[in-house]
Amino acid sequence: MANKTVEKISPDTFLNEMNAINDKTKDAVIDLLSKQGDKRYIAVPDWEDECEGDDGDGTEVSIFGIGLDDDDEICIAAVVDNIGYGHGPDDFPQEWTKATELWNPNYCAFYRFVANNIDKAMTKEEADELAKKYWNRDGCDYGKYDWQDDFIFNGLIKVRLDGKYGFINEDGEEIIPCKYEDADNFPEGLTKVKSAEGWGFVNKNGEEIISCKYEDADVFSDGLAKVKSAEGWGFVNENGEEIVACKYEEAHAFWLGLAKVKSAKGWGFVNKNGEEIIPCKYEKAYAFEGGLSLVKSKEGYGFVNNEGEEIIPCKYEDAHGFLFGAKTAEVKLNGEWINIDKTGKQVQVTEENW
């Protein structure tokens, strides 16, 4: 086979030829769009159809819209690619921007985008509406909704329409109408929602099981949800019954059958029947660890069990709880840190009793 001689060209000549091809392709993009009459814009919210760009400052963008502006110049709509890596969504304008604002517009890629999607050409107004949704939702098209959660909880997906929240199922059917000012996801059988009147709870069928009347609410935990009325914090069950009266200044979720609450007199614990098992008299109280709760009175730190008995007297200057299943706890007495067991007896820490 005879050897073919390859013509050598200089780097400058090669670059000039490439630039000439890019310029011709630019003219082809303008020609193709100008033939569409008043439908001189294309916006395609689909990651696979986008082309890349660079503004010259290190901000890479994905171009999802290309059009011709009133000056017959190519303009683009884009989203920032590397959000979270030193760049935010506002590092490139969220508006139609002249292609010349890019560091080196790739008109060959632009032509591919336009040619592949010419059947989707639209007016500027239509493109504006689609681009606005795209910018607001990081590149996802959710049909009629303004926003849609990325996660499915118990078969339902939270959506937003005209500033109001509701839920759709996995088939896109609207199960709970978009009428709430705020809404949580479905961690259990009920989820909290907020109307103009306040917070309440709905089930998966959209039925308002607990009316929207509370100033604040938390998710259900251990069968009860923390709610706040004008009188204070309390707890309701899934039937809407107020098991723990709304009278506390602060309250924490139930854990191991007890919830930490605070009255004007101090911290204590209530059970699921609303009974104050540990009276609200302590300056501080901590979650139960190893069957005991670290508490502080004006006399000092000590420990109580889940029946309210002060197993270890409140006499220590400082203390750490029986953390992570430890059999001993560190306490400070007369300026010295020592270790005690769950009876309050001072011990030396070993591998066996740690």
Side-chain angles (χ1 to χ4, degrees), residues 246-268:
C246 291
K247 62 179 182 179
Y248 294 101
E249 296 178 2
E250 295 184 47
H252 292 212
F254 271 87
W255 172 250
L256 299 176
L258 295 177
K260 186 170 69 169
V261 292
K262 182 184 180 184
S263 72
K265 296 179 180 179
W267 286 96

Side-chain angles (χ1 to χ4, degrees), residues 139-172:
C140 298
D141 184 9
Y142 298 125
K144 73 173 186 178
Y145 298 105
D146 303 326
W147 172 87
Q148 177 177 314
D149 201 341
D150 293 328
F151 300 98
I152 302 171
F153 290 86
N154 290 317
L156 293 178
I157 306 164
K158 185 165 69 171
V159 292
R160 185 180 66 222
L161 179 63
D162 297 330
K164 302 291 185 180
Y165 291 90
F167 292 84
I168 60 175
N169 62 18
E170 295 179 60
D171 295 323

Side-chain angles (χ1 to χ4, degrees), residues 257-258 268-280 288 305-309:
L258 295 177
F269 289 83
V270 294
N271 64 14
K272 289 186 172 184
N273 296 320
E275 300 167 331
E276 251 180 50
I277 300 300
I278 299 172
C280 291
F288 276 83
N305 65 16
N306 56 14
E307 295 179 357
E309 299 171 323

Side-chain angles (χ1 to χ4, degrees), residues 301-322:
Y301 287 89
F303 293 84
V304 295
N305 65 16
N306 56 14
E307 295 179 357
E309 299 171 323
E310 208 166 279
I311 302 299
I312 300 174
C314 292
K315 64 178 182 179
Y316 298 102
E317 299 151 23
D318 203 350
H320 300 152
F322 291 88

Side-chain angles (χ1 to χ4, degrees), residues 106-127:
N106 185 349
Y107 292 109
C108 292
F110 288 9
Y111 183 81
R112 173 193 61 78
F113 177 93
V114 172
N116 287 345
N117 297 289
I118 195 64
D119 59 320
K120 301 171 184 173
M122 61 189 73
T123 65
K124 174 69 160 50
E125 291 73 21
E126 292 170 330

